[in-house]
Amino acid sequence: MIPPYRFEPDRSAASLQEEFGALDPASETGVVVTIAGRMMLRRVQGKLAFATLQDGSGRVQLFAPSATTPRFDALCDRSLGDWLGVTGEVMTTRRGELSVRVDDWVLLAEARRPFPDKWHGISDPDTRFRQRYVDLWVSDDERAILRARSTVVSSMRRWLDDRAFVEVETPVFHPIPGGALAKPFTTHHNALDLDLFLRIAPELYLKRLVVGGFERVYEIARVFRNEGLSPRHNPEFTMIELYQAYADYGDMMVLVEELVAHLARELHGTTVLTYPDRDGVGRELDLSPPWRRATLVELVEEHAGVRVDLDTPIDALRRVCADHGVKVDESWGPGKLLLELYEKTTEHALWGPIFVCDYPKEVSPLARSHRSEPGMAERFEGIVAGRELCNAFSELVDPDEQRARFEEQVSHRDAGDDEAMVVDADYLRALDFGLPPTGGLGIGVDRLVMLLTGATAIRDVILFPTLRPEPNDG
RNA sequence: GCGCCUCUAGCUCAAUGGCAGAGCAACGGACUCUUAAUCCGCAGGUUCUGGGUUCGAAUCCCAGGGGGCGCACCA
């Protein structure tokens, strides 16, 4: 049997359930519909057969009496997993199950390999991620999560578009990696005989666009960082970065809390979610604005029980760090020490949502100096469910200061820090043309989706997570 | 990169040093209202790979491979 080249279903399983869900048992409607999907279950009972057809929207039962079903035996012999196209009358069985009587059917595609156990599905994570095409058919939860991702991204786009943000695409190949502190992947362009880096962040290009007159821009950017894998890290992941001229980091806080609350409402109809804590116990999370705002220094005092800041003598600061189990590096300045202390003692203890405000300039090379706190930058991170969700600043707009910050980064690089930045001369030239006061924001999209769907592994929100290739062909 | 755990039939899992098994799927049969259909029958294996210990290894040991988790790094 050669499968047809096209087929034209006029209903989905879900639309049938919606349209005919209220029928009494043993009803006939006289309505003939055409549907298509995979046969997931089958119950053949001699001269009467039932099957469960699943399409992208859901499931509906097929009802096939031998007396009226064309090629009845052939239908019963089809494998679970086969794609069928079915035309027939909408009806309900004596038990009341909504069904399509098979008045005609066609094989659309054969499943030559057996589908996994119809009840247990696939449990081996390796198989699930390698054979996502099977996992998606078999696991309702996984399908729901990945659809939710789509919903979140499109809601986010709509929300930003409604606020006059312009979506752009900037290069993935960067001659100079920049915009974040991370190890890049490298590649090579043959014709130009040029080494290129896969971007670790779109930041510096987006700010060039603000210089160029795009007052509100965003990019949903796949970025690449050459780091280890974990339940929360995939080497390629998606971030959204946005920049708003004339705004500062306070404006970004308002934007984040409103955006995230909006997305939660779009997806769940509420801003109150439950997410597993570190022990896997569901814990409530209320995303409704306003989120708490506190400075990093205040929070360290709250959680580590010591008041330290950038004026604390460096020896005392080193001692406090060591007391809290931070492995101190001699080259670190007070800013790095403070950040490490925060990460060790405080970050994981926060549940949020909370904005941790005012990070040391030393560890924030692209953020503008704080208007009133010497040594600090106007930067915040949003912590939700104990994890960093976003990172934002009042952008550093002064070319001379930016040059000095880059050069400081270069000195770190020379001291062996291969995640430190390098000088991007063209970016400095762009700043010379004038970057207006600008608020910038980056949100980890994968982690945002995890938060909103309750997923605890980043692999669950990425369709095809990075895996080592199979040793031989499956 | 380091540590711990894991890998048995297409899928989900048993067998803890003594004949490799069950359910589902597949295959053959019965069955006109089932819905994880049921019933009868039949078949299915490089126990991840390679070494070793042992009378005997899925099981213990060593090495390698895939995966998971933790640490490190980060978002």
Side-chain angles (χ1 to χ4, degrees), chain A residues 77 150 156 254 298 390 408:
Chain A
D77 284 344
S150 218
M156 199 151 59
V254 173
E298 287 164 358
C390 66
E408 192 187 337

Side-chain angles (χ1 to χ4, degrees), chain A residues 286-298:
Chain A
D286 186 352
L287 298 171
S288 59
W291 298 0
R292 184 184 169 201
R293 288 142 168 83
T295 68
L296 186 143
V297 166
E298 287 164 358

